[in-house]
Structures are given as structure tokens and as C-alpha cells.
Amino acid sequence: PLSRRPNPPQSRVATMEAYRRAFIATGSFEPVKHVMAGVFLVAFGMEHYFHHKYHAHAEAAHAVPETPGAAMEKHGSMGGAGLPPAAAAAAALPTNPDDMMEEIKNLRDELASMRNAIRVAAEAGNAGGKK
């Protein structure tokens, strides 16, 4: 069965020896290109994998748990049921303009308190460095 194949499988050593003879022994630049392409492909694959892995965990961490009954009361339909966690969280945002303005005001207050805390910490760090 194996002898009937047009190209019988070669050993790994024979394959590497053929590569060495074709590219390395001749002083060709091709091996450098092959390494660059290999690094690019591995990096691209890792970036793709970890990007999706990160977003899957980030969306799960920020998911807004909500019962279907509460979603129906709030939105008049199933709301975020069956949606990805980030979309379900967005569906849970207020739709009433007054509630939106209140949410914006609360966010602005939070940002102001964060900026103030950063400013105080920076001033404390600067004061400590001047001694």
C-alpha cells in the first residue's frame, strides 16, 4: 500500500537536509523571509485567539443579570434575552430622557471625583518629591 504511492513519505531529516541544500547552503535570503512569515502567522493567530478570549470574559464580567419577567416589565418585550451580554447590558440602559439625564449627571459626578482623587494624589506625590 505505501509502495504504490507516487511520493512516499520522507523522513524529517531528509526534508530538512533538502531545505538546507536549497536555501541555507546557497546563502539565500529566503530562510529569513520564511521565519518572518512564520512569526507573522503565529502572532496573528495568537492575537485573534486572545482578542476573542478577552472579549468573551469582559462581556461575561459586565453582564447584567436580569430575569425575563423583569425585562418584559422594563422594555415591554423580552429585552436582552438571547442577546450577547454587552448587547443585553445596552438594552438595560434607561430610555426615558429624564433618566438618561440623571445617568449622565451621575457619570459626570463620578468623573469629577476621580479627577479630584488623581489631582490630590499627584499633588501629594509632587509635594513628597520636593523635600
Side-chain angles (χ1 to χ4, degrees), residues 38-123:
V39 168
F40 172 77
L41 291 173
V42 168
F44 185 81
M46 288 176 64
E47 167 62 24
H48 180 77
Y49 171 77
F50 286 113
H51 176 84
H52 288 287
K53 181 179 177 183
Y54 168 78
H55 282 290
H57 289 291
E59 287 179 354
H62 294 96
V64 177
E66 187 173 39
T67 62
M72 288 182 71
E73 289 176 21
K74 186 184 280 186
H75 303 293
S77 67
M78 285 303 288
L83 294 174
L93 293 174
T95 55
N96 181 345
D98 293 331
D99 293 341
M100 284 183 187
M101 292 305 293
E102 185 66 28
E103 181 74 18
I104 291 170
K105 181 184 175 301
N106 291 339
L107 289 172
R108 284 183 179 156
D109 292 342
E110 281 184 49
L111 282 173
S113 66
M114 284 186 228
R115 286 184 186 133
N116 190 32
I118 292 170
R119 186 178 305 113
V120 168
E123 290 171 356

Side-chain angles (χ1 to χ4, degrees), residues 12-32:
R12 206 171 280 221
V13 174
T15 304
M16 290 306 296
E17 178 59 27
Y19 183 86
R20 188 193 70 75
R21 270 186 271 123
F23 297 111
I24 297 172
T26 61
S28 174
F29 191 71
E30 289 299 310
V32 175

